[in-house]
Amino acid sequence: MQSTVTQTADIPVIDISSLREGSARRRLEIGQRIDEANRRVGFLVIVGHGVDDDLIAAMHDVTEEFFGLPDSVKDRSRQPAPEISRGFIPARARSLAASDGGSGERDYVEYFAAGRSELSGTGVFDHRNIWPHAPNDFRSTWQNYYTALEAVGNVLLRGFALGLDLDEEYFHSTCADHCSVLFANGYPPADAPPAPGSVRLGAHTDYGSLTILYRDERPSGLQVRQNGAWLPVPDIPGSFVVNIGDLMARWTNDRWVSTLHRVAHPPVASLGERRLSIPYFHQPAPDAEIAAIPTCVTDGAAPKYPPITSGQNYLEKTRRSMTAVS
Ligand SMILES: O=C(O)CCC(=O)C(=O)O
Ligand SMILES: [Fe+2]
């Protein structure tokens, strides 16, 4: 008999509640588990993150409702320019694989994006949010969710610091004025049978420091590249997937890995289903200088990369994903 068991990727599940309320010893233990995961695969699945189930459900519902509106309505909150991650972005507008130098196949995903609410719209990264008029509670739900994810990001950064043998507050100065962006990815039902070898979201690595992903997972969804194979990321109810991006890999002088991932097409029987995921892309302050963390460089050795600002790194990646489309 043929086995129907699909192997999932080897990604640790970590309860991070102790990072908020545990003893110093327990916090260090969690930091060390995060370090192990980030060295080996750059992905972890977190539970005990403290975000209220009802808020997650409300965020899911209001976002699904928005994506369900006609394009002509969604277009009223359209992204103002390709490099500005705000507002609605229609499907097939960009190619994430292109941001990594891969194929320019356009992603079959529509997006909505928002940043910090307190920004005034005066700088390269300082954009005002663009909110749709419907659904009614869209804006307040997104703002509450953004605030909740900011808190999870801060807790994780403390765990990251401990895992790197640093003071728990190490990332505070570079991240207090962060410019993180909350995206929703709406994967529409297939409009035609997918071309062989194609995927819904192309293979890419994330740009920034860390990503915290909610997903309403369906068969053949998020996959990571591990040991030469594409393997599904374990789907654990109530969890978030956390992965590091290229900036964090660079910051740690490649002690941690930023791993390729993609979203596969569903099986034929589910081609008519939508899929939703909501990544929070944490990004340090735009002018923060990202130079190799001292504990990640062997004594006497030169760091692998020159310093770069967080903003410069982000702009380079975004431009490539928007322009290199086929
Ligand atoms: O939809 C997903 O599960 C993953 C999305 C993703 O990798 C991204 O938006 O960078
Ligand atoms: Fe990603």
Side-chain angles (χ1 to χ4, degrees):
M1 217 175 77
Q2 241 193 346
S3 164
T4 52
V5 178
T6 315
Q7 193 197 344
T8 52
D10 179 10
I11 294 173
V13 180
I14 303 182
D15 183 337
I16 64 159
S17 51
S18 308
L19 283 179
R20 290 192 306 275
E21 55 219 31
S23 63
R25 210 181 108 225
R26 187 81 191 111
R27 298 204 299 282
L28 182 60
E29 270 169 28
I30 304 293
Q32 287 166 342
R33 290 196 62 201
I34 292 175
D35 176 50
E36 186 279 326
N38 281 344
R39 279 177 190 237
R40 193 167 49 80
V41 48
F43 271 77
L44 41 138
V45 173
I46 59 164
V47 295
H49 46 66
V51 183
D52 189 54
D53 289 345
D54 290 344
L55 177 57
I56 298 174
M59 183 67 184
H60 171 113
D61 291 353
V62 86
T63 307
E64 280 276 271
E65 201 179 328
F66 172 76
F67 283 133
L69 296 170
D71 275 355
S72 57
V73 176
K74 289 184 280 192
D75 259 342
R76 288 183 209 148
S77 51
R78 181 84 177 244
Q79 176 192 41
E83 66 276 14
I84 297 181
S85 296
R86 298 290 186 273
F88 172 66
I89 308 169
R92 296 206 166 96
R94 56 181 212 164
S95 164
L96 272 190
S99 70
D100 262 339
S103 95
E105 188 190 341
R106 289 170 189 245
D107 300 317
Y108 192 42
V109 192
E110 53 187 348
Y111 306 89
F112 191 89
R116 295 178 78 156
S117 292
E118 57 271 39
L119 299 182
S120 57
T122 52
V124 183
F125 289 92
D126 191 350
H127 309 298
R128 279 181 204 278
N129 282 324
I130 295 168
W131 298 111
H133 293 295
N136 248 338
D137 42 0
F138 187 94
R139 177 182 181 155
S140 58
T141 308
W142 269 62
Q143 286 175 326
N144 291 340
Y145 188 83
Y146 189 102
T147 304
L149 270 282
E150 259 181 325
V152 180
N154 287 336
V155 168
L156 280 168
L157 285 172
R158 293 214 297 274
F160 278 22
L162 290 170
L164 294 167
D165 297 321
L166 300 164
D167 182 89
E168 218 166 339
E169 298 302 322
Y170 181 83
F171 291 106
H172 185 78
S173 56
T174 36
C175 296
D177 290 328
H178 70 92
C179 56
S180 310
V181 182
L182 181 61
F183 263 80
N185 301 334
Y187 299 81
D191 51 3
S198 71
V199 288
R200 279 187 279 188
L201 181 68
H204 67 280
T205 51
D206 289 351
Y207 311 168
S209 33
L210 74 117
T211 304
I212 308 170
L213 178 80
Y214 161 83
R215 62 204 172 117
D216 179 12
E217 196 51 287
R218 304 294 161 99
S220 302
L222 178 63
Q223 302 176 331
V224 295
R225 191 81 182 157
Q226 200 170 47
N227 303 325
W230 285 109
L231 298 174
V233 175
D235 182 22
I236 293 165
S239 69
F240 291 134
V241 175
V242 172
N243 63 285
I244 67 146
D246 299 343
L247 195 66
M248 187 57 81
R250 182 174 175 140
W251 215 348
T252 61
N253 205 35
D254 290 338
R255 166 165 161 160
W256 289 354
V257 291
S258 174
T259 294
L260 274 178
H261 52 285
R262 68 179 194 180
V263 177
H265 284 298
V268 176
S270 313
L271 280 176
E273 284 181 30
R274 300 187 62 91
R275 178 179 183 273
L276 175 70
S277 72
I278 306 175
Y280 171 82
F281 295 110
H282 181 273
Q283 182 77 24
D287 55 2
E289 191 185 72
I290 308 300
I293 291 169
T295 55
C296 300
V297 183
T298 322
D299 280 346
K304 288 187 178 177
Y305 309 97
I308 190 171
T309 65
S310 153
Q312 196 185 338
N313 177 266
Y314 184 81
L315 277 184
E316 281 173 14
K317 287 284 251 181
T318 322
R319 282 198 187 122
R320 253 179 281 158
S321 83
M322 305 297 299
T323 53
V325 290
S326 54

